[in-house]
Amino acid sequence: MSVRKWLVTAGLMAAAMVAAPSNASADWTITPFVGWNFKGAADINGNGGASVENQFEKKIDYGVSLASMGAGVVGFEVDFGYSPNFFEGGTASNNSFDFTNDSNVTTLTANAIVGIPIGGQRGGSVRPYVLGGVGLIRTNVQDASQFFDANTKNDFGFDVGAGVMGFFNTNVGVRGDVRYFRSFNGSSDNITGLGLSNFNFWRGSLGVSFKF
């Protein structure tokens, strides 16, 4: 990732924290989660410039989310996810590869989140929400047969998703959501200099939320 992209990502993370609501009605929620990735696809660049499209198996993903919401409605979130074996064993019938256990994906995104606190902010409640943002998508690909070059990339990317939080009381609940991740690549087709890359996947997750 270029210095400019690093600065943009770091700036967005800082802006999310600074802009998070600070009034008395705001709440913070931290959610450790476990999930799974599905519908993943990418172009793997190999020796000699070869490019092969491959679909990947469902892989476990785990991480943590920290969110702050004013009056439980509008807020910001920082989400970290790690999938240790994302590229291990493709499922495409014509190009399944034996990727090593060192092949993984890391995501770190800053998101805007909009929810509807049904039941209020105190006691038991339900909060459906939607979110979207941008950040870092880091991929590390290694092929056991060494047909492909080892490839580690830090890309600028985005995620969008929706889910629901359900609280048993004021401070403890559960959260589940589904998100779509996709990385950007360089492009001269627009003024932003960014285009959509072929690397993308979905993530479903479930976690325990602690509100304070």
Side-chain angles (χ1 to χ4, degrees), residues 87-209:
F87 295 102
E88 183 187 6
T91 59
S93 60
N94 62 337
N95 51 22
S96 180
F97 301 108
D98 181 22
F99 295 111
T100 73
N101 290 336
D102 293 328
S103 299
N104 53 69
V105 171
T106 302
T107 58
L108 179 62
T109 57
N111 301 301
I113 181 170
V114 179
I116 303 174
I118 301 172
Q121 292 180 268
R122 300 295 178 181
S125 63
V126 176
R127 185 181 300 175
Y129 61 88
V130 294
L131 57 82
V134 294
L136 170 70
I137 298 180
R138 176 184 173 89
T139 58
N140 178 39
V141 183
Q142 297 187 37
D143 178 27
S145 67
Q146 298 183 343
F147 181 79
F148 294 107
D149 298 327
N151 187 5
T152 299
K153 294 180 62 180
N154 296 308
D155 288 326
F156 195 46
F158 73 91
D159 70 322
V160 292
V164 62
M165 304 179 194
F167 290 94
F168 308 117
N169 52 46
T170 300
N171 302 111
V172 181
V174 294
R175 169 179 170 172
D177 67 26
V178 177
R179 307 185 187 206
Y180 175 73
F181 292 83
R182 189 160 189 171
S183 61
F184 294 113
N185 58 14
S187 173
S188 59
D189 296 335
N190 56 68
I191 60 174
T192 67
L194 295 174
L196 295 178
S197 79
N198 290 322
F199 180 68
N200 63 91
F201 64 94
W202 291 82
R203 186 190 79 193
S205 67
L206 182 66
V208 179
S209 294

Side-chain angles (χ1 to χ4, degrees), residues 28-32 64-67 171 173 175 207-212:
W28 288 86
T29 305
I30 186 169
T31 307
V64 64
S65 163
L66 177 64
N171 302 111
R175 169 179 170 172
V208 179
S209 294
F210 302 93
K211 184 168 62 174
F212 55 95

